[in-house]
Amino acid sequence: MTREGDVRRINTRHYGTSTHWLDETTSQCRMFLNEPPLLVSRLESGADHFVDRLPKTHSAAEQLLQRALLLDLAVHLGNAAHDAFHSHDSDRSGGSRRCEFQATTTLDEWLADLARSPGEAFRRWATRFVMVFHDVHTLECARRAQEYIQQCFRDRIALAPLARELRCASKHLRRSFKDLTGLSVREYQAELRFREALRLLEHTDLKIEAIAREVGYNSKKGLYRVVQERVGRTPLDFRKHCRSGRWHAPSSGEGIVSSF
């Protein structure tokens, strides 16, 4: 951001505005920029609280200066939030995934509208940024969630912590994940557990209790219940019929095949 000393000298030398007002404005900008964690899902509500804390402007000079400071802040926030979102990919792959989104493109309306106060312009920018950001990244977030669940389906997974892990908003993840997979996060995880349990029943000699633990069920009763409901047979019956060639565990995207 613009160096405080430079801004203060310009401010006091040419405009005669309050040094205390400038100190408070720059302090609030700095605090908002450094608030952890910098998530897109928190940006809109954070912008409301930030603008409410800003000191009021009392002259055209202060309006102009505050607009410039908030514009600079918006650029830094937009880029930082975008980088934070993609740092998940960088952490996993050792490099950044290419993304065409440009945080500064959401500033067009602000630059064209000088009638609103700097604070109101900043609020409107935050709302627009979040909307455009999620429009661009929603499907990617759902795909990352799908990949995460495929790797960790044995663990307990809830939507809100998963959204925080992937640095996206819960409501956007819920909708986009259902659009992508046709299932909720919980349903998708349950399907993966079920399919892995059937695979282990068909291809291993593990006991039912061991398979239940392996795929993430709380007890073998849970595995018995879901297999009975969906297959119509107990796990042991399923194993026996698989080995007789009459059934087999489904592969990805396939239903249960039966010759009964």
Side-chain angles (χ1 to χ4, degrees):
M1 295 179 64
T2 306
R3 288 183 298 176
E4 286 184 48
D6 294 341
V7 174
R8 185 178 288 108
R9 282 193 293 273
I10 295 171
N11 181 52
T12 56
R13 185 183 306 166
H14 296 292
Y15 300 125
T17 57
S18 166
T19 299
H20 174 74
W21 173 89
L22 177 61
D23 287 341
E24 181 62 20
T25 299
T26 54
S27 175
Q28 291 296 337
C29 290
R30 190 165 53 248
M31 286 172 57
F32 188 34
L33 183 61
N34 293 329
E35 283 180 2
L38 187 56
L39 303 180
V40 175
S41 56
R42 295 185 61 234
L43 184 56
E44 191 170 3
S45 60
D48 284 336
H49 295 302
F50 164 69
V51 171
D52 289 341
R53 297 195 305 263
L54 278 176
K56 305 301 181 185
T57 58
H58 302 288
S59 66
E62 288 182 349
Q63 282 247 348
L64 182 63
L65 187 55
Q66 191 174 79
R67 180 176 289 274
L69 288 169
L70 296 189
L71 178 62
D72 193 42
L73 176 63
V75 172
H76 280 76
L77 283 171
N79 286 323
H82 191 217
D83 290 345
F85 179 84
H86 284 290
S87 68
H88 180 274
D89 301 320
S90 180
D91 291 344
R92 293 171 61 86
S93 64
S96 298
R97 182 177 297 178
R98 180 173 177 78
C99 179
E100 300 299 329
F101 178 78
Q102 296 292 324
T104 54
T105 59
T106 57
L107 294 170
D108 294 347
E109 287 188 3
W110 185 355
L111 295 174
D113 183 8
L114 300 178
R116 289 183 174 83
S117 69
E120 181 60 26
F122 187 84
R123 277 190 225 262
R124 289 172 64 85
W125 164 79
T127 299
R128 176 171 166 76
F129 179 88
V130 171
M131 179 184 68
V132 174
F133 185 94
H134 283 305
D135 283 346
V136 173
H137 294 88
T138 287
L139 185 58
E140 180 180 355
C141 195
R143 285 174 176 158
R144 283 164 46 181
Q146 184 182 29
E147 178 185 331
Y148 180 90
I149 297 169
Q150 287 171 351
Q151 294 177 355
C152 304
F153 67 86
R154 297 170 179 84
D155 303 328
R156 180 174 296 181
I157 299 175
L159 180 70
L162 176 59
R164 287 195 297 271
E165 169 70 18
L166 300 178
R167 299 177 174 89
C168 55
S170 295
K171 63 179 181 180
H172 291 283
L173 178 58
R174 181 185 295 108
R175 183 182 68 244
S176 61
F177 192 85
K178 188 68 175 285
D179 290 343
L180 178 67
T181 66
L183 301 171
S184 69
V185 166
R186 179 174 294 182
E187 290 168 342
Y188 188 78
Q189 181 183 18
E191 183 68 18
L192 291 179
R193 284 179 172 177
F194 172 67
R195 288 173 181 270
E196 178 64 7
L198 295 189
R199 188 189 70 80
L200 292 174
L201 283 168
E202 179 177 5
H203 297 291
T204 75
D205 293 319
L206 288 173
K207 293 184 177 180
I208 306 304
E209 186 173 3
I211 291 175
R213 287 197 307 267
E214 172 66 20
V215 301
Y217 288 104
N218 292 328
S219 67
K220 68 178 182 180
K221 288 182 179 180
L223 177 57
Y224 264 95
R225 178 180 54 78
V226 71
V227 174
Q228 185 77 46
E229 287 176 356
R230 296 191 57 180
V231 178
R233 291 286 188 272
T234 68
L236 290 177
D237 283 341
F238 174 80
R239 172 177 278 169
K240 180 169 62 177
H241 283 95
C242 282
R243 293 181 179 181
S244 70
R246 287 182 288 177
W247 272 14
H248 69 79
S251 60
S252 178
E254 180 188 16
I256 299 173
V257 178
S258 171
S259 60
F260 287 120

